[in-house]
Amino acid sequence: MNHSIEAAVALRSSGRAEEARAMLLQLLPADSSNAELHYQLAWTHDVLGLEREAVPYYEQSLALGLPDDEQKAGAMLGLGSTYRTLGQYAESRALLEQGVLEFPQRAEFKAFLAMALHNLGAHTEAMELLLKLLADSSADAGIQDYKKAIMFYADKLEQVWP
């Protein structure tokens, strides 16, 4: 990571996101093809509640190709979540579904995808995804005691037994 970008990330992490944003924006004209710079700008805009302004930075970071999977996953999740908060539900769903496929070990994609599915009116699909996620990831003893039942019913929420 570029030393100047690291300094800006440290500022953002310490609650000084506006200063981080200014620092990152100063770097942009000289380093506009730096995917990581775009990613950090997107993240900083999100932290500041500037979701709409974050979108082009997320998109550019992904288009330029981020250097590692951790950053790529972060950018995909951030952009997918931001699309959802802006009412771009179909775009959110598509990107988060791609994240689920590319990063199957990262459960957060499923949680955010469930939110997008809910917004699209796919309530049954959203609940199924959340119930399976809960059963697979919860350390709660009661959830684990009933894991088999939760998994069984997750895709049968509308079914009524005679």
Side-chain angles (χ1 to χ4, degrees):
M1 185 184 300
N2 173 312
H3 179 67
S4 298
I5 295 173
E6 281 182 20
V9 169
L11 282 173
R12 183 184 65 224
S13 297
S14 69
R16 297 165 58 191
E18 192 56 59
E19 291 174 63
R21 178 178 176 258
M23 182 182 284
L24 292 167
L25 286 171
Q26 285 180 339
L27 298 172
L28 193 58
D31 205 5
S32 64
S33 63
N34 183 328
E36 184 180 6
L37 176 57
H38 284 274
Y39 172 53
Q40 296 301 336
L41 271 164
W43 188 347
T44 302
H45 279 83
D46 258 353
V47 167
L48 290 167
L50 302 170
E51 287 84 2
R52 195 166 305 283
E53 291 86 345
V55 168
Y57 295 115
Y58 277 129
E59 291 173 340
Q60 189 64 17
S61 74
L62 290 167
L64 290 169
L66 286 156
D68 65 47
D69 280 350
E70 186 69 27
Q71 290 180 343
K72 183 179 181 186
M76 289 176 71
L77 186 70
L79 181 56
S81 173
T82 299
Y83 279 156
R84 192 193 71 75
T85 65
L86 296 174
Q88 296 175 246
Y89 305 132
E91 293 90 338
S92 176
R93 178 183 186 164
L95 189 56
L96 294 168
E97 284 177 338
Q98 180 184 344
V100 168
L101 292 175
E102 284 190 42
F103 304 101
Q105 73 285 6
R106 298 197 58 160
E108 61 269 28
F109 278 100
K110 292 178 182 176
F112 281 85
L113 176 57
M115 290 185 244
L117 292 170
H118 166 78
N119 291 126
L120 288 165
H123 305 296
T124 301
E125 190 178 351
M127 281 295 297
E128 177 183 348
L129 190 58
L130 282 177
L131 286 169
K132 288 179 177 179
L133 180 60
L134 176 68
D136 283 338
S137 64
S138 177
D140 182 85
I143 297 295
Q144 289 308 305
D145 286 347
Y146 290 93
K147 178 179 179 172
K148 186 175 177 182
I150 292 168
M151 293 297 276
F152 176 78
Y153 291 120
D155 65 350
K156 299 168 186 62
L157 294 173
E158 306 303 323
Q159 187 172 336
V160 176
W161 278 260

